[in-house]
């Protein structure tokens, strides 16, 4: 069965690209036809380049990231500055076409779930339009419980029911780290809440068995 998995987050810079790249490598290692895209980039295309590397350079950058804007602002504003406007229909068409080319489509959002991507829509509307699944990425630190609950509550109802949460370990965990995982598991069920170990290298060339197991759990259909 084809799957479309959106990787969103509680904020910008929380580890969406790292996780999307890891999931891409893992799925490819399992032999699953996978495509990882980041439709919108603003302020640089590093994220799309990381996803390209995770796909061993086999996918042209334009097919990973059709829209990039110079201004380091949310895509709606960055596009306005460039005198451009990408409609929701265009964005959905791009994703539908990408989905036809693979078994698992991973879509990295830009910013957080409600960061405006274009006039009248954010990642939420794209998830709804494609009836996609969602993974919510959040750094495992004080504040995570509130942030994760806010994002999950803002997902379209279909995606809300089976959303998974990826708590990204930080270099220096605070006192909340262990209990965040437990309490979120109480709210959402232990099968939906997963921790991802802290990684020195954002794109490790090899995935350890421990990390691989975590990634497989995150990918397990709910
Ligand atoms: Mg990113």
């Amino acid at each position: 069965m084809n799957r479309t998995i959106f990787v969103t987050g509680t904020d910008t810079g929380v580890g969406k690209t790292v996780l999307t790249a890891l999931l891409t490598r893992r799925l490819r290692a399992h032999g699953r036809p996978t495509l990882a895209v980041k439709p919108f980039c603003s302020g640089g295309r590093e994220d799309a380049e990381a996803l390209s590397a995770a796909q061993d350079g086999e996918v042209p950058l334009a097919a990973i990231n059709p829209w990039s804007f110079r201004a380091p602002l949310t895509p709606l504003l960055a596009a306005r500055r460039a005198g451009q406007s990408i409609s929701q229909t265009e964005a959905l068409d791009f994703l539908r076409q990408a989905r036809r080319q693979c078994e698992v489509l991973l879509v990295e959002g830009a910013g957080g779930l409600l960061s405006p991507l274009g006039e009248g829509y954010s990642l939420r509307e794209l998830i709804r339009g494609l009836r996609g699944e969602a993974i919510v990425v959040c750094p495992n630190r004080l504040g995570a419980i509130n942030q994760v609950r806010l994002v999950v509550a803002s997902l379209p109802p279909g995606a809300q029911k089976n959303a998974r949460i990826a708590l990204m370990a930080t270099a220096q965990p605070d006192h909340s780290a262990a209990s965040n995982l437990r309490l979120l598991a109480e709210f959402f069920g232990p099968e939906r809440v997963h921790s991802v170990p802290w990684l020195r290298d954002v794109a490790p060339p090899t995935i350890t068995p421990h990390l691989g197991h975590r990634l497989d759990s995150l990918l397990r259909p709910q």
Side-chain angles (χ1 to χ4, degrees):
M1 198 185 73
N2 280 39
R3 297 175 69 187
T4 306
I5 303 172
F6 288 82
V7 179
T8 187
T10 52
D11 200 353
T12 189
V14 292
K16 295 191 306 292
T17 307
V18 172
L19 185 69
T20 308
L22 288 171
L23 293 173
T24 303
R25 286 186 193 278
R26 187 65 175 172
L27 285 160
R28 284 169 62 90
H30 284 315
R32 303 279 301 276
T34 301
L35 185 57
V37 299
K38 164 130 184 163
F40 296 91
C41 284
S42 43
R45 292 179 102 184
E46 295 83 0
D47 288 4
E49 283 157 7
L51 298 186
S52 171
Q55 297 172 95
D56 297 322
E58 291 168 11
V59 184
L61 204 57
I64 295 171
N65 170 233
W67 300 295
S68 66
F69 309 107
R70 188 169 296 178
L73 298 169
T74 195
L76 169 66
L77 291 176
R80 282 184 184 169
R81 286 236 178 142
Q84 285 181 258
S85 176
I86 314 305
S87 71
Q88 182 174 330
T89 305
E90 283 176 273
L92 286 171
D93 284 349
F94 165 74
L95 292 173
R96 287 197 183 100
Q97 201 184 335
R99 180 157 71 175
R100 284 195 286 272
Q101 295 165 33
C102 58
E103 192 180 300
V104 183
L105 176 64
L106 294 168
V107 185
E108 186 191 337
L113 180 68
L114 300 185
S115 300
L117 299 177
E119 304 292 343
Y121 69 99
S122 64
L123 198 71
R124 173 170 62 182
E125 284 66 42
L126 302 185
I127 296 172
R128 181 184 290 138
L130 288 174
R131 298 177 191 274
E133 304 171 48
I135 294 178
V136 177
V137 178
C138 183
N140 191 359
R141 61 186 177 216
L142 193 63
I145 293 166
N146 171 59
Q147 290 161 5
V148 167
R149 295 183 74 205
L150 282 170
V151 173
V152 172
S154 298
L155 285 167
Q160 208 177 105
K161 275 184 293 197
N162 60 10
R164 270 141 291 149
I165 292 114
L167 276 182
M168 309 298 280
T170 59
Q172 288 169 322
D174 66 25
H175 286 296
S176 75
S179 49
N180 282 341
L181 187 74
R182 285 198 299 272
L183 191 54
L184 283 168
E186 277 183 40
F187 280 113
F188 297 106
E191 69 288 349
R192 290 171 59 191
V193 184
H194 303 275
S195 61
V196 177
W198 186 73
L199 302 165
R200 184 180 299 277
D201 181 359
V202 293
T206 54
I207 291 175
T208 62
H210 173 70
L211 176 58
H213 176 72
R214 299 291 174 93
L215 298 173
D216 290 344
S217 304
L218 259 172
L219 287 165
R220 202 162 288 137
Q222 297 291 314

